[in-house]
């Protein structure tokens, strides 16, 4: 990974201007957009995992106390 340029150092684009007056805003915007995309991907993955856990829970009947069984017709233990 390349080292971040200092604010008062000459700009890496070769314009001869200071970095803070040349490319700093563009570089920060690029970094921010990358972080936003990464955050969005993480949020989508978490949402899919949670939705999958909820859907899997619906398919299996709840645990009934010993000596009882789950009744699909009545939706409770007998």
């Amino acid at each position: 990974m390349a080292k971040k340029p200092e604010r008062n150092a000459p700009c890496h684009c070769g314009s001869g201007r200071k970095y803070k007056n040349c490319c700093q805003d563009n570089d920060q915007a690029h970094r921010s957009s990358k972080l936003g995309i990464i955050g969005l991907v993480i949020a989508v993955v978490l949402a899919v995992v949670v939705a999958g856990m909820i859907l899997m829970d619906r398919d299996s009947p709840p645990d009934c106390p010993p000596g009882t069984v789950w009744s699909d017709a009545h939706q409770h233990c007998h």
Side-chain angles (χ1 to χ4, degrees):
M1 178 183 266
K3 183 181 172 191
K4 179 181 162 190
E6 297 291 326
R7 283 176 39 86
N8 289 317
C11 189
H12 56 77
C13 72
S15 67
R17 296 166 55 194
K18 289 184 178 182
Y19 176 67
K20 68 181 178 184
N21 295 327
C22 191
C23 292
Q24 182 179 16
D25 290 339
N26 290 339
D27 290 350
Q28 287 177 343
H30 185 68
R31 264 191 299 271
S32 295
S33 67
K34 278 185 180 178
L35 290 175
I37 291 171
I38 290 171
L40 181 63
V41 168
I42 289 172
V44 168
V45 167
L46 286 174
V48 168
V49 168
V50 169
M53 290 173 61
I54 290 171
L55 291 175
M56 289 179 71
D57 241 5
R58 286 185 180 174
D59 294 340
S60 61
D63 293 332
C64 292
T68 61
V69 293
W70 179 255
S71 169
D72 283 326
H74 301 124
Q75 297 295 307
H76 61 91
C77 295
H78 286 276

